Amino acid sequence: MLEALRKIVQEVNSAPDLESVLRVIVRRVQRAVRTDVCSIYLLDPATQRFILKATQGLNKKSVGQASLSRSEGIVGLVGERAEPINLEDASKHQAYSYIQETGEEKFHAFLGVPIIHHRELLGVLVVQQEAIRRFDETEEAFMVTMSAQLAGVIAHAEATGSIGKLDDVKNKGKTDRKFEGVSGCVGVAIGQAVVMTPLADLNGVPDRQAKDIELEKEKFQNALASVRKDIKKVARSLSKRLRSEERELFDVYLRMLDDNALAGEVVAQIENGNWAQGALRKVVEEHVRQFSLMEDPYLRERASDIRDLGRRILTWLQSSAPSLAEIDFPENAILVADELTPAMLGEVPTDKLVGLLSVNGSGNSHAAILARSMGIPTVMGAVDLPYTRIEGMQIILDGFSGRVFVNPSDDLLQCYQDIIDEERQVNADLEGLKELPAETKDGYRMPLWVNTGLVTDVARSLDRGAEGIGLYRTEIPFMIRDFFPSEQDQTETYRRQLEAFAPRPVTMRTLDVGGDKPLPYFPIEEENPFLGWRGIRITLDHPEIFLVQIRAMLRAAEGLDNLRIMLPMVTSVHEVDEAKSLISQAVSELREEGVKVVQPQIGVMVEVPAAVYQVRRFARRVDFISVGSNDLTQYLLAVDRNNPRVANLYMSYHPAVLRALQFIVQEAHKEEVTVSICGEMAADPGGAVLLMAMGYDMLSMNATNLPRVKYTIRHVTIEQASGLLSTILSMDDADKIHLLIRDTLKKWGLGQFTRPTIPD
């Protein structure tokens, strides 16, 4: 059964569309269970009826025709109960409903299992047999396992079913095809998809119309020649150490590259209009699929050889491709990637970028946080989006709801264009706030700082009236390089931030890599990176990296004296003491070298539960406390903020998170130490009101949202904010808390800062 399951899943994964997926399932399951019938009924969201979509054993003409309501028949009962139903004679059951056109009257034994994906009922998988008998436990277990394994595949195939080649979609007209993700940055974008190809990853190569077919063929032939040369070189160097049968593998590789084999098929695909990389992917995928389905283990393993060969050719093709900065972006580009990275965002020409779309990641990933600082509408975690097939298509990106529409209709385009126009008007109304303080109607002053990291953040932050930098992400300059930046390089980078904001304070977080922020030249392989080697743990283990960075910060602040140094991911006072000792060492060294260094303020980030309960101990050792609410929420709720599968469980307004935030500020103030917050909660107008009521001394946020938060604070009283906080702290449901905040903002006349009405 396990081997049968493996083969079915393997074959299903390589099926090109939903119909093929369903046909494979019913055929293979019927054979594996040795039963007379296997059928799949899928629930149609529009009609709320179970429709027979594929069958092996029933009348083929009934496929697409036979249907049952959600409450009809045993199929409906399986869906209603969301559990298997195993009957030795289905016709005797009170829920039995006979569908004449299927020809199922002669079948008695019935076993149906629900197909459920992320709590959503997709359909029912059914096996039937003429004999009157009950399917045994092994068969039932196999069916349940099969349903669970295939639910995601079916959901993905169903979601991508209407997306074909660009030419096909153009011919068919507008589709309004919708894909669900999560919001990364609010706002709406309408533009053209530009798909980024991951390095040496065939699965991520998009289909793209070749601009010059002869040039694409030439690129491919050059890549082939390079790969042939590489293989021959490796074969020669290993010839004395390999047996003759092992040396023959290299000959097999070379034969695959012949014009009559794999190479010839790629050329044919290029001549059909696909660019070289897309043609290569298509041919390799088909060969891999064919080899993977073979019964012979030796031949089946050849699929990995094909895949390896494809990666080698792709690497050479990509080496001659233009860099991200050299790509000719359309004027309204929506950057699409399997996974957005901070390095990508640092290279893209932002003047042509209107939106960002990532298949993986979540609304709280580091890339999404940077997108918010850039003010670019972003959707993350659109896991069902067939992103390799949408190059050049028109897209609506809805950063409010996390939806993406491919090839939208004119009516939908107009609807979203109206929302864009409304947003522009709101932003225009906020432009006059720059010189005004964030002060409530009853005189309570709330300093608003910004989070920065990209070079473009500085001008944007000053333009919006930022009073300081609460978080400068020093890892960004590290991420967009191929090696660790020198002390001088870092000094020049930090000086630009400090000079631009002087005399206003600039809080520089020491290198915070690991987790979702890897360095390409300093790889960290871990089972669970968020609970691993990251933040202060890395820099204390590498004092040579830490000291160079601290020296650069101190040198950059010479004569400005507006530097604050912040330590990330601290969990113990020992880490704080050790870091302070190294900072003192750097101060002493520079003074000996003649640099006029002023001892900077030192603070810690509270972003893990262990730090929450040591706030007073930290406060006795440092000058300020800053809360990183993004990571703190993640760790308190045990929710990976990069995982779109559990994105709905990441709740900034969870009662436990709110209680922790209030406890931190209360404990720090007992030691008369200031407390700021630099997580994304501060950038939400409703969240800012609550944090102000809790007593936070500064709020730090992305520059894009700063005017909205300032406007909100200027239109409420501290008494109103405190009353709302008091009510919310008595509540125990995050969704109800979020709803109350939204309704309260509307009641206060601040409804423009809540989510706009979006077409369903």
Side-chain angles (χ1 to χ4, degrees):
M1 283 292 189
L2 194 60
E3 179 63 17
L5 179 65
R6 184 193 68 79
K7 288 181 179 178
I8 294 171
V9 172
Q10 194 172 47
E11 189 171 351
V12 162
N13 280 329
S14 62
D17 51 44
L18 178 60
E19 288 185 7
S20 301
V21 165
L22 300 180
R23 285 198 300 267
V24 168
I25 293 172
V26 295
R27 187 173 65 250
R28 292 295 187 183
V29 170
Q30 186 231 23
R31 189 181 303 174
V33 183
R34 295 187 178 89
T35 187
D36 299 322
V37 174
C38 179
S39 306
I40 292 180
Y41 294 83
L42 291 187
L43 184 63
D44 184 340
T47 63
Q48 288 296 297
R49 294 184 68 84
F50 288 104
I51 299 173
L52 180 63
K53 286 290 189 179
T55 186
Q56 188 75 12
L58 297 182
N59 183 2
K60 295 287 186 183
K61 293 181 180 179
S62 63
V63 172
Q65 304 300 316
S67 68
L68 296 158
S69 71
R70 288 200 68 156
S71 59
E72 188 178 1
I74 305 173
V75 168
L77 191 61
V78 172
E80 182 184 339
R81 291 184 178 178
E83 63 181 4
I85 293 180
N86 189 350
L87 304 171
E88 62 178 25
D89 190 350
S91 62
K92 301 286 179 64
H93 194 278
Q94 60 184 10
Y96 178 73
S97 179
Y98 169 56
I99 306 176
Q100 186 174 0
E101 60 264 36
T102 63
E104 65 177 335
E105 64 272 14
K106 61 181 178 180
F107 302 109
H108 297 277
F110 175 99
L111 171 59
V113 296
I115 304 170
I116 298 173
H117 181 65
H118 284 278
R119 302 190 182 189
E120 181 183 353
L121 178 66
L122 301 181
V124 177
L125 177 63
V126 174
V127 288
Q128 294 170 273
Q129 208 159 5
E130 282 193 38
I132 297 177
R133 64 111 173 175
R134 187 179 177 86
F135 287 96
D136 63 35
E137 291 181 2
T138 303
E139 292 167 321
E140 184 173 327
F142 173 79
M143 289 285 288
V144 170
T145 306
M146 177 59 62
S147 172
Q149 286 267 344
L150 297 175
V153 179
I154 291 173
H156 181 74
E158 199 169 23
T160 61
S162 65
I163 298 292
K165 291 181 181 177
L166 181 55
D167 288 340
D168 293 339
V169 173
K170 283 180 178 175
N171 293 334
K172 291 175 184 174
K174 306 294 187 176
T175 64
D176 276 354
R177 189 60 188 165
K178 182 176 71 175
F179 298 90
E180 299 286 350
V182 293
S183 173
C185 178
V186 296
V188 169
I190 299 174
Q192 184 178 336
V194 178
V195 181
M196 290 295 99
T197 307
L199 290 176
D201 180 4
L202 276 167
N203 294 331
V205 173
D207 287 328
R208 184 174 291 165
Q209 192 71 32
K211 294 180 180 178
D212 186 332
I213 288 177
E214 292 304 316
L215 180 60
E216 292 299 316
K217 286 164 67 175
E218 182 183 341
K219 288 178 182 178
F220 177 65
Q221 293 298 342
N222 289 339
L224 279 185
S226 298
V227 172
R228 285 193 192 102
K229 185 177 178 181
D230 287 347
I231 291 172
K232 288 176 181 177
K233 183 178 179 181
V234 173
R236 282 196 302 271
S237 66
L238 296 177
S239 60
K240 294 181 180 178
R241 285 185 271 173
L242 297 177
R243 298 192 300 269
S244 59
E245 61 268 25
E246 292 170 333
R247 289 197 297 271
E248 287 176 3
L249 178 61
F250 293 100
D251 294 330
V252 171
Y253 270 36
L254 291 171
R255 285 197 295 273
M256 287 179 186
L257 298 174
D258 288 343
D259 288 342
N260 295 328
L262 184 144
E265 294 180 36
V266 174
V267 170
Q269 287 286 338
I270 295 174
E271 290 174 343
N272 284 336
N274 208 344
W275 68 320
Q277 294 185 34
L280 175 68
R281 188 209 78 235
K282 216 160 197 177
V283 171
V284 170
E285 279 181 348
E286 180 56 27
H287 280 262
V288 167
R289 188 184 73 82
Q290 291 176 2
F291 275 102
S292 298
L293 297 176
M294 291 181 178
E295 297 291 333
D296 184 272
Y298 175 81
L299 291 176
R300 197 164 60 237
E301 284 301 313
R302 299 290 66 77
S304 61
D305 295 337
I306 296 283
R307 203 177 287 112
D308 177 60
L309 198 59
R311 277 196 295 262
R312 290 172 182 268
I313 300 171
L314 178 63
T315 299
W316 278 102
L317 283 171
Q318 290 179 331
S319 67
S320 62
S323 68
L324 197 58
E326 297 170 324
I327 290 176
D328 184 20
F329 279 79
E331 290 301 319
N332 58 340
I334 293 180
L335 185 68
V336 183
D338 179 46
E339 186 159 12
L340 285 172
T341 66
M344 278 183 194
L345 302 187
E347 295 180 53
V348 175
T350 53
D351 59 319
K352 293 185 176 182
L353 197 62
V354 298
L356 296 166
L357 174 55
S358 184
V359 174
N360 289 297
S362 80
N364 300 289
S365 66
H366 204 66
I369 291 169
L370 288 180
R372 287 194 283 276
S373 77
M374 297 166 72
I376 298 176
T378 302
V379 170
M380 309 287 291
V383 292
D384 289 325
L385 179 77
Y387 72 103
T388 61
R389 293 154 61 186
I390 64 171
E391 172 73 23
M393 289 189 186
Q394 189 174 39
I395 287 177
I396 293 175
L397 187 148
D398 181 350
F400 293 101
S401 66
R403 293 171 180 164
V404 178
F405 296 89
V406 177
N407 204 35
S409 64
D410 292 339
D411 288 344
L412 194 61
L413 280 169
Q414 186 58 55
C415 185
Y416 273 100
Q417 186 59 54
D418 290 343
I419 293 172
I420 291 175
D421 295 340
E422 290 171 12
E423 282 290 297
R424 284 178 182 158
Q425 185 57 52
V426 169
N427 291 332
D429 294 342
L430 298 175
E431 287 181 2
L433 293 177
K434 176 182 175 181
E435 304 300 334
L436 298 175
E439 187 175 293
T440 64
K441 291 194 292 186
D442 51 355
Y444 187 87
R445 186 79 163 76
M446 187 73 251
L448 300 183
W449 294 6
V450 286
N451 305 330
T452 66
L454 299 170
V455 175
T456 53
D457 287 338
V458 176
R460 188 183 298 112
S461 300
L462 292 171
D463 187 54
R464 283 161 175 74
E467 300 172 60
I469 295 179
L471 168 63
Y472 172 58
R473 302 181 178 94
T474 63
E475 61 274 6
I476 303 301
F478 283 76
M479 287 173 148
I480 59 177
R481 292 172 176 264
D482 296 326
F483 46 81
F484 282 107
S486 67
E487 182 176 322
Q488 185 58 34
D489 287 337
Q490 291 184 60
T491 300
E492 292 171 2
T493 301
Y494 303 153
R495 183 75 181 183
R496 286 194 290 269
Q497 295 275 332
L498 292 160
E499 274 185 331
F501 270 83
R504 287 163 288 205
V506 175
T507 310
M508 294 194 167
R509 180 173 67 188
T510 60
L511 186 62
D512 186 19
V513 294
D516 65 334
K517 295 172 287 184
L519 296 179
Y521 48 86
F522 190 63
I524 303 170
E525 299 293 334
E526 293 181 303
E527 288 282 332
N528 192 336
F530 280 101
L531 298 182
W533 200 44
R534 59 174 302 201
I536 195 71
R537 298 169 183 176
I538 292 177
T539 49
L540 290 181
D541 284 350
H542 282 277
E544 76 282 7
I545 296 173
F546 187 74
L547 282 167
V548 167
Q549 184 177 40
I550 296 299
R551 284 174 56 92
M553 289 179 182
L554 294 169
R555 287 175 58 198
E558 186 178 10
L560 300 174
D561 305 332
N562 59 338
L563 170 67
R564 304 189 339 151
I565 296 176
M566 185 162 64
L567 309 172
M569 281 295 293
V570 294
T571 57
S572 70
V573 294
H574 173 72
E575 291 169 333
V576 179
D577 292 341
E578 191 176 350
K580 287 181 65 179
S581 176
L582 289 171
I583 293 171
S584 296
Q585 177 185 327
V587 169
S588 299
E589 289 174 359
L590 288 171
R591 284 175 176 169
E592 290 173 6
E593 295 170 17
V595 181
K596 296 179 181 179
V597 176
V598 174
Q599 176 70 35
Q601 286 193 336
I602 299 171
V604 296
M605 289 191 77
V606 174
E607 45 191 338
V608 296
V612 172
Y613 298 103
Q614 299 180 87
V615 166
R616 290 192 70 178
R617 292 177 180 175
F618 289 146
R620 295 177 190 130
R621 288 170 162 80
V622 298
D623 302 297
F624 65 91
I625 299 286
S626 183
V627 179
S629 64
N630 302 325
D631 268 335
L632 181 59
T633 302
Q634 168 178 257
Y635 291 124
L636 280 173
L637 302 183
V639 174
D640 178 358
R641 61 190 178 102
N642 285 311
N643 185 349
R645 302 292 187 191
V646 292
N648 63 312
L649 300 178
Y650 183 95
M651 301 174 180
S652 298
Y653 296 120
H654 192 286
V657 174
L658 296 175
R659 286 288 182 186
L661 292 174
Q662 186 183 48
F663 178 80
I664 291 166
V665 71
Q666 290 173 344
E667 290 291 287
H669 282 172
K670 289 176 183 177
E671 300 295 330
E672 299 183 351
V673 169
T674 59
V675 191
S676 62
I677 184 165
C678 55
E680 290 300 305
M681 185 176 174
D684 176 62
V689 168
L690 295 183
L691 295 167
M692 178 177 69
M694 288 180 187
Y696 277 84
D697 299 292
M698 288 85 71
L699 305 180
S700 190
M701 64 206 67
N702 62 73
T704 303
N705 278 31
L706 191 147
R708 294 168 179 254
V709 171
K710 182 183 285 190
Y711 186 93
T712 300
I713 289 173
R714 289 180 58 83
H715 285 77
V716 301
T717 66
I718 190 65
E719 185 179 353
Q720 286 176 317
S722 299
L724 177 61
L725 175 65
S726 178
T727 301
I728 281 174
L729 289 177
S730 67
M731 299 171 67
D732 55 12
D733 184 283
D735 290 330
K736 291 180 180 177
I737 290 173
H738 197 279
L739 185 63
L740 176 62
I741 292 172
R742 189 189 69 182
D743 290 345
T744 302
L745 287 180
K746 287 181 177 179
K747 187 174 70 174
W748 290 345
L750 299 166
Q752 68 270 40
F753 300 136
T754 61
R755 174 180 155 181
T757 303
I758 304 293
D760 217 341

